[in-house]
Amino acid sequence: MEQTGMDRRGFLKVAAGFGAMTAAAAALPGCAPQGSAGKTGTETASASTLSSSGGYAWLGEAPEIDESQVTETITADVVVLGGGNAGLMCACAAAEAGATVSVIEMQSESTISYYGLHDIATLNSNYLTEHGIEPVKPSEFIAEYQRRNRNKTNPALVRQFANHSGEMLDWIISNAPQEVVDALEIENGVESQTATEYFNDGAVINGFHCWRGCTQVNFQDTAPVLIAQAESRGATWYWEHTAVKLLTETATESLRTTVYNQNDNTVREADVDTDVTKVTGAIVQNASGEYLKFVGEKGVVLACGDYGGNNDMYVALQDERRWLYEAHGLDTSEMRTKMFGRDGSGIKMGMWAGGSIDPSPHCLVSPQVMFESTDFPTNVLRWGSGFKVEADRLPAGSGGASQNPWGAPFVCLDNNGQRFTDETFLGIFGVLDQVERRKPGRYFYFFDNKWKELMAKMPPEHFSQPIGVTDAADFEKLFQGWVDRGVQGAETEDGGTVCAWAANSLDELLEYMGLEGDMRENVKASIAKYNEYCAQGEDEDFGRDPKMLLDVSEPPFFGMYSVEEKPMLGTVALNGLVIDDDQRVLDKKYNPIEGLYATGNNSGGRFAVQYSTAISGLTLGFAMTLGRELGKALAAK
């Protein structure tokens, strides 16, 4: 039952309309992906499809729960809904700065999983500097990032990442267990000499710039230590608790607004009475089904993760993916992110309170990292993961490893044996976009004995595989195994199929690969034409950067293929609620909803157009940095 009244500040109070809601419908970070049953084709609810009440069909209505069902009220300075990567960092920073914090997390303490592979992008940390990583000018990074996203991302948020991500990493390292610190790895680090030719030659391909700065951290073993420290400072984790909805109050206030006066034909700023919303807390359900009220005196933070596991939201909001699926005649009911993906409950709660979904192009971390197929072995579907070389699994003289052509700048041909794009554009992302817009089937990759030089020139975009001295020996063993096995092709993992070969002549290689007739002639003609462009230093067909033009002429020759079965569904969705520079959730007039904040994948303004990476690991780098900055700011209120 709805109750109204005036509080001492003049707010017109509206008690949270409470109502029964299952915990599964409001899963927070760490829960299993929970997508609702989907629809296909024209039945799919789009982002613009409204329900009978005027809201988006996928949004539904805010739950109603009678206040008599609330068994306990808990007050803290900061209430964080979701204890994943961003939420944990927010809570720890707030507690360290002296605030009391309540963290609501659906997962159990013993089984919580922190999504991501924990490649964490940062700039200018002491740890990176001490290990020889060159400094990065924040202004140059901001400019590069905004250019990649066509200025659709919020540069003020990008600036926070650029200025504070280094200290975030140093803070994690200073508090991590020693065994985690000992196992840290810097991707494309100086010692490995990865991408040496790329960095020595200006670190720019096709006008796009990349930097070193990604550190691989075992966060699963680090998080419990950080939580224990935060709890010793006044934070409390409420495990197996699920946020259901936000508590709101509404009022009319005078806000500064731009107005036009027809009488004197002037435009000026004026105070205008405007309805505003304030969020004071949240209703939460525990594992026993009881409802609790959590009040956040300094703020409530939505950190509940993305909506990639929710089919209805995925289909409605991921326009490009839906259009790709429909263009290929595929069933959209299967559309949800693979391996990772939350249910979007935090975004829904923010929108029920008056917020909006990020208007930027809705993008994903793509390519995905997990594949399933009823028609093909998964080893031929692993687009984007580059070569997987596991030295401890390589039998002497064999090619025992997974072979994946993506992530290396080889000559790429379609299933007619024709080149169709610049293979080096934005690492792997440009080729991937092209392939998903073409006929499904096999795509082929060819290179020669100059592979080491070519891969050293590769831009170190995320999912790319530039070569370094530390893994060159493994690659040499891998490729020599292909040569030694001849027509048998590269050894595969259990259940895989051969998709890579090597030979001492191009004709012999094509015979091993089973390419005959017109296909064989087309491949030879395409490679010959590409070699001509290499000789003249200009790719007249597709404008491949001259730095990346190395011909295919020196034996042994290598050939591989991958199968494009269907467009990728990605790993995690990257757009959330509209927020301002301070991560405050904005209402539909772009005024802050007082007391409500969003961080991590509940927030927008961080990614747009596509997930291309000037530094690997940017999604976690952004989430953890901005989460930590928000926690510090809330504690200081």
Side-chain angles (χ1 to χ4, degrees):
M1 182 177 68
E2 203 170 72
Q3 300 176 343
T4 62
M6 300 298 293
D7 74 358
R8 61 184 176 84
R9 299 180 55 206
F11 276 90
L12 177 65
K13 295 168 60 177
V14 180
F18 310 122
M21 183 180 186
T22 63
L28 290 185
C31 68
Q34 305 202 23
S36 54
K39 305 173 182 65
T40 62
T42 57
E43 296 177 338
T44 298
S46 73
S48 60
T49 303
L50 299 180
S51 67
S52 59
S53 64
Y56 296 125
W58 52 265
L59 178 59
E61 308 296 334
E64 295 288 335
I65 302 169
D66 192 276
E67 193 163 5
S68 64
Q69 295 177 265
V70 176
T71 61
E72 184 179 1
T73 298
I74 300 166
T75 300
D77 292 329
V78 181
V79 175
V80 181
L81 305 181
N85 296 298
L88 169 59
M89 297 298 287
C90 179
C92 289
E96 189 173 53
T100 58
V101 185
S102 295
V103 181
I104 312 304
E105 172 54 53
M106 182 187 178
Q107 297 177 97
S108 70
E109 184 174 11
S110 61
T111 63
I112 185 171
S113 174
Y114 295 92
Y115 273 6
L117 304 179
H118 288 91
D119 291 350
I120 303 175
T122 61
L123 274 64
N124 303 327
S125 75
N126 292 332
Y127 178 79
L128 292 175
T129 301
E130 291 166 359
H131 286 79
I133 302 300
E134 62 278 7
V136 179
K137 286 186 177 181
S139 60
E140 291 183 359
F141 176 85
I142 295 166
E144 172 73 16
Y145 194 85
Q146 291 302 103
R147 188 169 64 86
R148 286 170 176 251
N149 289 288
R150 295 180 57 204
N151 212 33
K152 294 180 183 293
T153 41
N154 183 343
L157 298 177
V158 179
R159 183 178 66 236
Q160 287 189 51
F161 166 80
N163 290 336
H164 298 288
S165 59
E167 64 188 64
M168 178 274 295
L169 177 65
D170 289 334
W171 180 84
I172 290 177
I173 293 173
S174 68
N175 290 282
Q178 188 59 48
E179 58 268 22
V180 170
V181 176
D182 292 341
L184 292 173
E185 292 187 18
I186 300 174
E187 187 171 303
N188 304 316
V190 175
E191 293 180 1
S192 70
Q193 297 183 34
T194 303
T196 50
E197 292 301 315
Y198 173 81
F199 287 110
N200 290 340
D201 203 15
V204 176
I205 298 294
N206 288 324
F208 293 98
H209 193 142
C210 291
W211 290 272
R212 296 182 175 98
C214 175
T215 306
Q216 297 170 345
V217 180
N218 180 347
F219 199 69
Q220 196 71 33
D221 290 344
T222 302
V225 176
L226 303 182
I227 291 171
Q229 291 178 352
E231 288 183 325
S232 71
R233 293 166 172 152
T236 303
W237 261 250
Y238 292 86
W239 301 101
E240 298 182 80
H241 282 61
T242 302
V244 175
K245 68 171 297 180
L246 301 172
L247 294 168
T248 61
E249 300 173 352
T250 61
T252 300
E253 291 187 352
S254 292
L255 298 181
R256 204 73 170 163
T257 305
T258 301
V259 297
Y260 169 59
N261 190 320
Q262 292 182 335
N263 294 329
D264 59 8
N265 197 33
T266 60
V267 176
R268 64 183 186 276
E269 306 305 308
D271 292 332
V272 176
D273 286 346
T274 305
D275 290 337
V276 297
T277 300
K278 176 184 178 183
V279 169
T280 60
I283 298 300
V284 172
Q285 191 174 36
N286 64 20
S288 301
E290 299 170 324
Y291 292 103
L292 296 81
K293 180 189 296 186
F294 283 81
V295 177
E297 295 188 329
K298 293 189 175 187
V300 176
V301 178
L302 292 169
C304 308
D306 79 318
Y307 57 83
N310 183 321
N311 173 254
D312 284 343
M313 292 183 71
Y314 186 112
V315 171
L317 296 172
Q318 288 292 329
D319 290 340
E320 181 181 7
R321 296 292 102 188
R322 184 184 70 250
W323 290 332
L324 280 168
Y325 251 58
E326 291 174 347
H328 286 279
L330 297 170
D331 181 1
T332 61
S333 67
E334 68 179 63
M335 297 188 76
R336 53 179 58 84
T337 52
K338 299 297 183 181
M339 189 171 178
F340 304 133
R342 307 300 188 188
D343 73 348
S345 57
I347 293 170
K348 288 184 177 183
M349 285 188 283
M351 293 183 70
W352 290 332
S356 297
I357 196 74
D358 191 351
S360 293
H362 298 164
C363 64
L364 300 150
V365 172
S366 185
Q368 65 200 52
V369 296
M370 185 175 181
F371 292 89
E372 299 170 345
S373 175
T374 58
D375 299 319
F376 297 100
T378 56
N379 75 300
V380 303
L381 301 175
R382 291 173 183 158
W383 297 64
S385 56
F387 288 98
K388 179 182 178 186
V389 177
E390 300 179 22
D392 59 340
R393 296 183 56 237
L394 290 175
S398 80
S402 302
Q403 306 87 32
N404 296 282
W406 289 99
F410 306 142
V411 174
C412 183
L413 308 180
D414 64 16
N415 47 22
N416 292 315
Q418 306 286 344
R419 269 187 88 215
F420 57 93
T421 190
D422 169 11
E423 298 90 343
T424 68
F425 190 83
L426 282 175
I428 65 165
F429 297 103
V431 182
L432 181 61
D433 279 341
Q434 281 297 312
V435 166
E436 291 186 330
R437 286 159 172 77
R438 302 173 70 86
K439 182 179 176 64
R442 285 198 297 178
Y443 285 77
F444 298 86
Y445 317 88
F446 294 93
F447 59 104
D448 70 358
N449 199 42
K450 296 187 293 294
W451 57 267
K452 190 181 301 185
E453 180 182 357
L454 185 61
M455 292 175 69
K457 293 176 176 288
M458 183 67 178
E461 297 273 355
H462 207 169
F463 298 105
S464 296
Q465 182 63 69
I467 192 95
V469 294
T470 57
D471 52 8
D474 292 335
F475 276 103
E476 288 171 349
K477 182 180 290 187
L478 174 72
F479 292 152
Q480 185 59 47
W482 298 6
V483 174
D484 294 343
R485 289 173 61 84
V487 69
Q488 297 178 73
E491 188 175 344
T492 68
E493 296 173 321
D494 292 342
T497 191
V498 176
C499 58
W501 295 261
N504 287 312
S505 73
L506 186 57
D507 280 323
E508 188 178 25
L509 174 65
L510 299 181
E511 181 179 346
Y512 290 168
M513 297 176 72
L515 302 181
E516 301 175 340
D518 290 342
M519 182 64 176
R520 177 182 291 202
E521 295 307 311
N522 288 345
V523 169
K524 293 176 66 174
S526 294
I527 293 176
K529 188 177 183 181
Y530 168 79
N531 286 347
E532 291 175 6
Y533 291 153
C534 293
Q536 69 186 32
E538 179 187 0
D539 177 5
E540 296 179 5
D541 285 341
F542 305 111
R544 177 165 165 150
D545 193 304
K547 296 177 183 178
M548 305 303 293
L549 288 173
L550 273 72
D551 64 10
V552 181
S553 62
E554 180 182 330
F557 298 92
F558 304 88
M560 303 184 293
Y561 74 81
S562 276
V563 173
E564 163 68 3
E565 182 183 29
K566 60 185 70 171
M568 288 195 190
L569 294 171
T571 302
V572 65
L574 293 175
N575 59 286
L577 297 162
V578 176
I579 61 172
D580 66 5
D581 301 354
D582 299 315
Q583 301 184 69
R584 298 181 296 181
V585 177
L586 302 181
D587 65 18
K588 290 179 174 57
K589 294 182 179 179
Y590 274 57
N591 294 315
I593 299 174
E594 186 177 344
L596 183 61
Y597 302 81
T599 195
N601 286 330
N602 271 177
S603 64
R606 305 158 302 126
F607 295 93
V609 183
Q610 65 182 40
Y611 179 68
S612 64
T613 50
I615 301 175
S616 295
L618 276 172
T619 178
L620 280 176
F622 263 92
M624 299 171 86
T625 300
L626 295 182
R628 185 166 185 263
E629 290 306 299
L630 178 56
K632 291 191 291 184
L634 288 174
K637 284 183 63 176

